[in-house]
Amino acid sequence: MAQYQEELDNLVPFEIGLQAGETMIMWALGMVFWLLSFVFMGFAVGWDFGGSFGPIMYVVGGIFLLSSQFVTRWNPLKTSGMPYTGVALWLLVVVFAAPILWKGWQVYSDSSMLVFMISYTVLAILITGGLLVSNFLTSLKILDWMSQDMATTLYAAGIISTLIGVTMVGFNNRALLSIDELTLGDWEIMYVFAMSYLFMMELHNGAHRFNDIIKYAKERATGEFSLTPVINNYYIMGFILMVIIGFGVQLVLVINFFIRWISPFISEQMANSVMMNSVYSVVYTIAMIFIPLWIVLIIWMEYRNRKEAKEEEEMRRKVERETRPGIY
Amino acid sequence: MWTKKAASIVSMAVIIVLLGMATRNLLLVMLSLAALVYTTVSVFANTSTRLTADREMSQEKIFEDGTVKVELRILNQGGKTGFLEVRDKVPRTIQLKDGTNYTYLNLSPKGATRLKYTLKCPLKGVYKIGPITLRTHDPLNMFYKEKTVAFESDLTVFPQVRDVKELYIKSKQPKMYPGEMKVKMPGPGSEFFAIRDYMPGDPFRDINWKAYASTGKLLVNEHERLSVSDITILFDSRSSSRYGMDSDNANLYGARAAATLANFFLKRRDSVQMVVYSDKVLTIKKGTGQKQLFELLTALAGATPKGDIPLSGIVEVAIPYMPRQSPVIVISNLEEDDSIRKAVSMMMMLEFDVTIISPNSIEFEIMAKQKKGEKINAAAYDILRLEREILMQELRGYGVKVLDWKPATPLTQILLEARNY
């Protein structure tokens, strides 16, 4: 007879309904910030989205984000062994990315649509084939990694969709190309847009996280389990950190302004270059600040981890020595 | 350590900045900038903590379906913990009856917390509660530190012991000490055994006056001798005994039967020895009393299905230690062992009184498949059933009592079926 083990505990039925009550405010706030990001994106491009695809993608993304709160942690991979949500997410990316690539093709290439379609189809088949090969012939199962529970998949799809929307909107607005022509107000609008989007992502992610914890605790525990003090602390600490992050973003932008202001004094050629008068100057500033900072941070984190591991090992040895029976 | 979220955000920020550069989209670059600052700030929000934990349990040895209270104490010897997750690992087959083994909290400097929960243990086994996992992370859940307190508590869950009033498992070879077990021989006892002619010295109260009236001869009643006996239990814990579900399989049912029998015989002041065979052989030498029962139950609790040692090998090793003509109870599903016939014939040749209690693994497997909603190949299972039936008939042909134990049949009923033999 074949070996047969009970695995019924892993099944999570698919349910539609509101997530935990404690996280409702986070969802609601997240949606408010999503709306704000949409509005400020509109302000940033003067409400000229250059076509309907970009804003539609943004709205579709918002709908995905909202709907991710109405479903349970149902995981088809766990239930049926088939990575349905991974495949769905992949298809979503393939389908949603096509118009962007087509737009890029139109801007940068003179070839016909047929050439684009053939190239894109070959690319999609190659990547899909690669994923399938990884899933069925190797131990590197990328589709399984992509396959998450329903709520997480919808959340990821929402983020991808809104980012595709932003990319498309940006594609159609040449006004954003010359940053030296932007007013301080334009910068502030884009800053508020970015911060609103970040707030939305954080709040929805927090809601997912806390909802998972509440569900897990309620499934496992028969007694009372309250996450309210932790959630309240999250609101306070999260707000403080977000204010710091807001200042941090502004600081980077101020450094960017300073570099652009000082560049004519260093080199006229550099000051007039595309590098200094386009988005590349912001990217240059980001690279200049974050690459050295993160090298230092990674070294520091590694040093701290090793120090703590060493201390823990010493502590463990000390306890072992103290509890070892003596020879009498 | 980086969380999945942090890795995703940094990857997303890099992709977006590249996309922003490719499409010269300032909105995307701004988003990437915000995400990078967000990650950087989180590094500094990750606090360093010094936490210790210990656990106290109300009992370390219980019977199946028993409960045990656990108290977990966590002490913060450092600064603020930030967001602290505490999880005390509990084996999958143990249920949480009350309270929680998991919590999520903020602990103040030098603060402490207690986690109280009650575990219900429906299945026998030797379990470990723990280790305790303590995980702290920043408010934005970007970086975490995990500490595992390798503090495990042992919990032994003995198999259920049912109350059995009487078993017709008798020894043919009495021991010299009087006891409670009938040994199929005339001697001191209370139950009628036979009638024989009166012999000088027989007590008058034993004379059967009714028989005297009808035959005219003095006849006396003989009683069945009561004596202490040696019982041997051979418990099959090979890998085939796990077929079925965690909660219904031959290993679990067999252990309950063995525990019930051992308890019954030991209460009757018999001497019980047991051999548990799986990938190795565990022998508990014969003994009596509560201490012996405790040893037998501990052996049964730790008997996990593994290995495939044949029964004949066990019998060959155990025979020198089994008193002639004494009862031998084999608890086995009779699956995947070609040596059963040989083992049984060997025991019958040496006049052991062999009883086989056989939990039906085929039915356990079918039950598991039905529960999971899987298709059952009826023809294949019919063949398996037939093979099993033929084997049991063959064993009965040797003069062995073979009890086919289906999952729906209660243990007490299956033991009472021994009367029919």
Side-chain angles (χ1 to χ4, degrees):
Chain A
M1 279 187 287
Q3 184 184 333
Y4 203 83
Q5 292 284 319
E6 188 176 34
E7 288 176 351
L8 300 175
D9 290 350
N10 294 331
L11 300 179
V12 180
F14 181 69
E15 283 172 18
I16 295 177
L18 281 174
Q19 305 269 14
E22 290 93 326
T23 57
M24 282 299 290
I25 297 171
M26 283 184 218
W27 286 109
L29 271 175
M31 289 319 293
V32 169
F33 280 111
W34 172 82
L35 198 63
L36 273 176
S37 66
F38 184 70
V39 170
F40 281 99
M41 184 177 72
F43 281 132
V45 295
W47 295 100
D48 175 18
F49 294 116
S52 56
F53 185 75
I56 285 173
M57 279 290 92
Y58 208 91
V59 173
V60 167
I63 292 166
F64 278 145
L65 288 169
L66 185 65
S67 58
S68 70
Q69 77 145 316
F70 291 105
V71 291
T72 56
R73 290 184 292 122
W74 178 68
N75 186 344
L77 178 65
K78 213 183 248 183
T79 313
S80 65
M82 176 70 192
Y84 289 113
T85 48
V87 173
L89 198 64
W90 165 243
L91 280 173
L92 200 78
V93 173
V94 169
V95 174
F96 283 0
I100 293 189
L101 291 174
W102 169 234
K103 188 74 190 173
W105 189 275
Q106 280 178 315
V107 173
Y108 296 113
S109 169
D110 296 329
S111 309
S112 68
M113 190 180 178
L114 185 69
V115 178
F116 167 76
M117 279 175 71
I118 293 167
S119 311
Y120 186 73
T121 310
V122 169
L123 192 71
I125 288 170
L126 277 175
I127 298 172
T128 312
L131 281 174
L132 290 173
V133 165
S134 85
N135 217 54
F136 294 111
L137 296 179
T138 70
S139 57
L140 195 79
K141 299 186 183 308
I142 302 167
L143 269 176
D144 284 2
W145 295 350
M146 288 165 65
S147 203
Q148 296 289 322
D149 58 79
M150 207 58 185
T152 311
T153 306
L154 280 168
Y155 174 72
I159 298 288
I160 291 167
S161 182
T162 47
L163 286 177
I164 286 171
V166 177
T167 311
M168 203 65 182
V169 168
F171 236 137
N172 291 307
N173 284 275
R174 318 291 291 179
L176 294 175
L177 293 179
S178 308
I179 59 168
D180 55 337
E181 289 169 18
L182 296 174
T183 62
L184 195 62
D186 290 336
W187 279 104
E188 283 307 315
I189 284 169
M190 274 185 284
Y191 164 75
V192 177
F193 156 76
M195 288 307 293
S196 303
Y197 197 85
L198 197 68
F199 264 77
M200 179 274 291
M201 271 174 54
E202 174 49 39
L203 283 163
H204 277 191
N205 182 274
H208 269 290
R209 177 159 54 103
F210 288 121
N211 184 64
D212 277 358
I213 292 168
I214 292 164
K215 284 251 168 161
Y216 174 81
K218 282 182 180 169
E219 273 168 20
R220 295 282 296 163
T222 49
E224 279 189 18
F225 180 85
S226 173
L227 210 59
T228 312
V230 177
I231 289 177
N232 289 343
N233 195 28
Y234 167 76
Y235 283 130
I236 296 163
M237 291 300 295
F239 177 75
I240 294 168
L241 285 177
M242 279 299 182
V243 169
I244 296 169
I245 291 162
F247 278 119
V249 175
Q250 287 198 339
L251 182 68
V252 175
L253 291 177
V254 167
I255 293 169
N256 175 253
F257 290 148
F258 176 73
I259 290 169
R260 279 193 286 133
W261 174 76
I262 205 166
S263 59
F265 302 106
I266 300 165
S267 161
E268 195 69 31
Q269 193 185 354
M270 191 175 86
N272 294 328
S273 68
V274 178
M275 179 80 175
M276 277 297 132
N277 296 294
S278 67
V279 289
Y280 296 119
S281 82
V282 185
V283 177
Y284 173 71
T285 314
I286 290 172
M288 206 182 74
I289 295 169
F290 286 99
I291 291 173
L293 181 63
W294 269 96
I295 289 170
V296 173
L297 277 179
I298 286 169
I299 293 168
W300 175 66
M301 281 162 81
E302 185 60 28
Y303 170 75
R304 197 177 60 171
N305 286 345
R306 282 190 184 187
K307 196 181 162 190
E308 280 177 7
K310 201 177 166 185
E311 278 174 6
E312 209 159 288
E313 182 63 22
E314 273 175 14
M315 184 72 85
R316 194 183 61 78
R317 281 185 186 166
K318 194 182 164 191
V319 171
E320 259 180 24
R321 270 200 305 273
E322 282 171 2
T323 52
R324 192 178 295 165
I327 300 165
Y328 300 101
Chain B
M1 294 284 283
W2 293 59
T3 61
K4 266 187 194 173
K5 180 186 172 186
S8 311
I9 294 231
V10 171
S11 313
M12 195 185 81
V14 172
I15 291 167
I16 291 175
V17 82
L18 292 174
L19 199 63
M21 282 166 74
T23 61
R24 290 202 274 170
N25 186 333
L26 191 57
L27 290 170
L28 289 176
V29 174
M30 289 293 284
L31 275 178
S32 173
L33 169 62
L36 287 170
V37 176
Y38 173 86
T39 312
T40 311
V41 169
S42 302
V43 176
F44 298 100
N46 196 20
T47 52
S48 185
T49 52
R50 286 181 66 201
L51 294 159
T52 56
D54 66 35
R55 184 190 310 104
E56 199 174 289
M57 284 166 57
S58 62
Q59 296 177 78
E60 286 178 353
K61 289 175 175 65
I62 54 168
F63 279 94
E64 279 180 334
D65 283 335
T67 57
V68 57
K69 286 181 180 171
V70 184
E71 187 177 316
L72 195 69
R73 289 181 293 266
I74 297 122
L75 179 67
N76 178 21
Q77 294 174 325
K80 275 189 174 182
T81 58
F83 289 69
L84 171 66
E85 261 183 284
V86 182
R87 184 183 281 112
D88 198 13
K89 196 179 171 194
V90 173
R92 194 170 59 92
T93 47
I94 292 184
Q95 297 164 359
L96 205 61
K97 194 185 170 201
D98 193 27
T100 178
N101 64 330
Y102 171 83
T103 194
Y104 197 76
L105 71 163
N106 307 109
L107 217 52
S108 57
K110 308 289 174 194
T113 189
R114 280 168 189 233
L115 219 63
K116 288 180 183 175
Y117 59 93
T118 308
L119 296 173
K120 188 181 176 189
C121 311
L123 305 175
K124 64 111 184 160
V126 178
Y127 299 102
K128 284 201 183 297
I129 308 296
I132 306 157
T133 308
L134 303 163
R135 184 187 284 181
T136 55
H137 55 80
D138 60 275
L140 303 177
N141 193 33
M142 295 288 276
F143 298 93
Y144 72 94
K145 279 180 191 162
E146 195 170 270
K147 185 182 173 185
T148 304
V149 181
F151 176 47
E152 293 175 322
S153 308
D154 291 324
L155 178 64
T156 307
V157 182
F158 297 138
Q160 264 176 19
V161 174
R162 294 282 165 86
D163 190 28
V164 188
K165 287 202 168 63
E166 190 174 22
L167 284 177
Y168 280 62
I169 294 168
K170 303 168 183 184
S171 176
K172 295 168 192 164
Q173 187 68 34
K175 287 180 77 173
M176 60 187 290
Y177 314 110
E180 291 183 19
M181 187 167 184
K182 298 159 201 158
V183 287
K184 288 184 182 172
M185 285 184 81
S190 58
E191 289 210 17
F192 176 78
F193 184 71
I195 296 175
R196 63 166 171 81
D197 289 341
Y198 174 79
M199 305 237 327
D202 282 338
F204 275 118
R205 62 184 165 89
D206 285 349
I207 293 172
N208 189 329
W209 295 109
K210 277 186 184 172
Y212 172 68
S214 59
T215 60
K217 275 175 72 182
L218 270 178
L219 297 166
V220 289
N221 287 337
E222 273 194 329
H223 298 281
E224 195 170 8
R225 181 171 175 169
L226 292 174
S227 179
V228 168
S229 183
D230 288 330
I231 312 271
T232 306
I233 298 172
L234 303 179
F235 179 66
D236 173 1
S237 181
R238 293 171 304 124
S239 56
S240 69
S241 67
R242 71 158 163 254
Y243 296 146
M245 292 178 290
D246 285 345
S247 54
D248 294 282
N249 58 54
N251 185 273
L252 206 62
Y253 277 46
R256 286 171 189 163
T260 303
L261 289 167
N263 180 52
F264 173 79
F265 294 129
L266 289 170
K267 266 190 184 171
R268 217 168 60 173
R269 291 192 285 153
D270 289 328
S271 170
V272 179
Q273 64 176 341
M274 186 160 71
V275 181
V276 179
Y277 61 103
S278 51
D279 61 335
K280 57 186 180 218
V281 183
L282 174 66
T283 310
I284 293 104
K285 287 178 185 167
K286 64 184 173 190
T288 54
Q290 283 297 306
K291 191 170 171 269
Q292 179 72 355
L293 179 64
F294 176 77
E295 279 191 27
L296 295 172
L297 290 175
T298 307
L300 288 169
T304 47
K306 53 188 167 187
D308 56 352
I309 294 180
L311 181 62
S312 61
I314 304 303
V315 171
E316 278 168 16
V317 173
I319 271 179
Y321 306 99
M322 288 152 54
R324 284 286 175 93
Q325 299 184 325
S326 67
V328 177
I329 301 164
V330 181
I331 300 172
S332 169
N333 61 357
L334 303 176
E335 295 288 344
E336 297 175 14
D337 187 356
D338 297 332
S339 74
I340 289 171
R341 290 174 188 86
K342 186 184 164 194
V344 166
S345 75
M346 213 186 306
M347 285 191 282
M348 293 312 287
M349 266 167 36
L350 294 169
E351 296 181 344
F352 288 106
D353 184 9
V354 182
T355 304
I356 298 177
I357 298 172
S358 178
N360 193 326
S361 282
I362 300 167
E363 302 303 328
F364 284 121
E365 184 164 303
I366 291 172
M367 202 165 84
K369 286 201 168 187
Q370 279 171 341
K371 197 173 174 189
K372 210 177 176 185
E374 280 190 13
K375 202 180 163 189
I376 294 164
N377 187 341
Y381 281 106
D382 282 345
I383 293 167
L384 285 171
R385 282 193 190 109
L386 194 62
E387 281 177 357
R388 180 177 164 80
E389 191 52 45
I390 290 167
L391 175 65
M392 287 196 298
Q393 285 300 342
E394 272 185 54
L395 296 176
R396 282 175 190 138
Y398 287 112
V400 177
K401 301 178 197 102
V402 186
L403 307 173
D404 183 17
W405 187 4
K406 289 179 180 157
T409 317
L411 170 63
T412 44
Q413 191 181 324
I414 205 74
L415 293 177
L416 286 173
E417 275 182 26
R419 284 166 183 266
N420 299 331
Y421 292 92

